[in-house]
Amino acid sequence: MVTIETPRSPRSRKSANREKLAWLFMRASGVILIVLVFGHLYINLFTGEGIKAIDFAFVAGKWADPFWQVWDTAMLWLALIHGTNGMRTLVNDYSERERTRKILNTSLWTVCILLVILGTLVTTTFDPCPDTSVVDALPQFCNK
Ligand code: HEM
């Protein structure tokens, strides 16, 4: 008879607990992402004039409202952290050498942190009418 050994984590108990939290995070962030992503698609595509209305002024209008700033920032953070953590699972499952695993996971989290910082700067500091001498480059509604 073939006996299959009970799977045991090669890492410490502390790491096992972290994996449980990561498992829970994937489910919780998945549920929240459904609301954020489909709410985003509904508001952008089904209300008003639909896709034709999406331009610089549309985005500027949305980010003038703190509600949409928080919505979009939350969507950005959750999608990036969820996606990166999901890729970490794949890397851990498939990379055969410890060094490869570490390099890939470090690269993943570095890119994730960079994009979270850059994206958050965009959604929180975006100013459609910056005080600039290049007035021609500004959208028309800034010159009124
Ligand atoms: C509607 C939104 C989403 C839901 C409900 C969702 C749900 C989930 C769940 C429950 C898992 C865990 C699967 C498992 O452990 O077997 C997962 C894994 C994963 N998700 Fe998402 N997700 C969503 C959006 C995203 C987005 C936006 C990305 C990319 C940026 C992404 C990338 C991944 C990756 C790479 C995995 C790992 C796949 C694997 O372990 O085989 N997901 N997702």
Side-chain angles (χ1 to χ4, degrees):
M1 193 182 84
V2 181
T3 32
I4 300 172
E5 276 189 52
T6 313
R8 293 203 188 280
S9 168
R11 302 191 185 91
S12 67
R13 281 206 63 76
K14 200 171 152 198
S15 160
N17 199 37
R18 218 178 317 153
E19 284 307 321
K20 186 178 78 183
L21 289 177
W23 188 94
L24 284 171
F25 170 79
M26 291 307 274
R27 270 80 195 154
S29 58
V31 172
I32 302 171
L33 273 169
I34 290 178
V35 177
L36 294 177
V37 172
F38 287 100
H40 168 83
L41 290 175
Y42 179 77
I43 293 293
N44 285 8
L45 302 176
F46 287 97
T47 57
E49 291 168 53
I51 196 157
K52 288 190 216 80
I54 299 180
D55 55 10
F56 186 90
F58 179 87
V59 180
K62 265 186 110 182
W63 284 344
D65 182 345
F67 177 84
W68 290 114
Q69 274 186 317
V70 172
W71 184 292
D72 287 354
T73 309
M75 194 163 60
L76 171 88
W77 278 56
L78 285 179
L80 276 170
I81 299 171
H82 174 104
T84 306
N85 194 51
M87 282 307 297
R88 182 189 66 90
T89 309
L90 294 175
V91 166
N92 287 348
D93 281 350
Y94 290 103
S95 61
E96 289 178 1
R97 284 191 293 171
E98 184 62 13
R99 195 172 135 75
T100 314
R101 191 180 75 81
K102 281 206 171 123
I103 291 173
L104 289 175
N105 280 340
T106 308
S107 313
L108 276 172
W109 288 112
T110 306
V111 172
C112 174
I113 290 167
L114 266 176
L115 291 178
V116 162
I117 293 172
L118 288 177
T120 307
L121 279 174
V122 172
T123 54
T124 55
T125 65
F126 180 76
D127 178 2
C129 306
D131 186 16
T132 168
S133 53
V134 196
V135 180
D136 287 351
L138 294 176
Q140 273 180 339
F141 58 76
C142 292
N143 299 325
K144 281 180 188 155

